[in-house]
Amino acid sequence: MKKVVLLCTLAVLMFACKSTSVTSTNTDRKAQVAIKGNWVISSVSYPGSEYIKVNTFQLADSECFVGSTWKFVSNNNKGNMALTKANCVAFSSPITWFVNNDGQFILKILDAGEKARKVRDGYILHLANQSETSFQLIDKIDVGGKMTDVVYQFQKVN
């Protein structure tokens, strides 16, 4: 009997831990509509830490994202991205995304034909400096115990 109680308690604790890490799902429609369209990452920078190596989205070195193309469709929160830089791994994928009311940009990179609800891993970045022709997504990573920003600068293509 104790074993059953212990397992139930563990399951509840695991669920509680998971629920505390969930971000707000209330969307910022204005920010999302402003992102609609085709974009390119014009630069990746690490303010205050220029000599670090970052494996972005567990796909490739962050420098391989410079020149990558991104399409954001705001009415269904889908799109796609493609890495095409020479001497880097070529990669393209459908994505799903949204901007919540906390200014967080939530991104999931999907395998072809995969439904977003089946993908458990995603990325939470901060949306900053948004204008009609540019915006930044800022990731925070741990570098030797110090939280460091990785800034992806997006420029509008059309």
Side-chain angles (χ1 to χ4, degrees):
M1 196 66 142
K2 285 184 179 181
K3 189 172 186 179
V4 172
V5 172
L6 180 60
L7 289 174
C8 291
T9 303
L10 179 59
V12 170
L13 287 174
M14 290 177 73
F15 178 75
C17 291
K18 180 71 172 169
S19 66
T20 59
S21 67
V22 174
T23 61
S24 169
T25 57
N26 294 328
T27 60
D28 182 340
R29 291 297 301 157
K30 184 178 178 183
Q32 287 184 179
V33 169
I35 290 175
K36 177 182 171 183
N38 296 309
W39 299 80
V40 65
I41 294 182
S42 59
S43 67
V44 179
S45 61
Y46 326 95
S49 300
E50 296 305 316
Y51 301 104
I52 61 174
K53 192 168 188 71
V54 177
N55 185 14
T56 297
F57 307 133
Q58 299 172 342
L59 293 174
D61 184 273
S62 60
E63 290 302 315
C64 292
F65 279 78
V66 175
S68 63
T69 56
W70 296 71
K71 180 177 182 174
F72 298 104
V73 180
S74 62
N75 66 339
N76 65 4
N77 299 96
K78 294 185 178 181
N80 56 59
M81 55 84 65
L83 303 179
T84 58
K85 190 171 185 176
N87 299 320
C88 290
V89 63
F91 179 83
S92 67
S93 178
I95 61 172
T96 184
W97 62 281
F98 70 92
V99 179
N100 70 18
N101 285 336
D102 297 330
Q104 294 173 314
F105 184 95
I106 315 309
L107 172 69
K108 287 184 179 182
I109 298 172
L110 310 174
D111 290 328
E114 191 172 28
K115 300 286 184 194
R117 68 179 173 270
K118 300 230 182 227
V119 176
R120 296 286 174 220
D121 295 329
Y123 303 92
I124 302 170
L125 300 106
H126 178 72
L127 176 63
N129 301 315
Q130 187 177 20
S131 73
E132 288 183 20
T133 59
S134 68
F135 69 92
Q136 294 173 330
L137 291 181
I138 303 171
D139 196 6
K140 291 215 176 275
I141 62 168
D142 184 287
V143 178
K146 178 183 171 200
M147 293 310 288
T148 303
D149 288 347
V150 179
V151 180
Y152 302 92
Q153 180 68 51
F154 284 77
Q155 295 299 128
K156 186 116 178 159
V157 174
N158 60 0

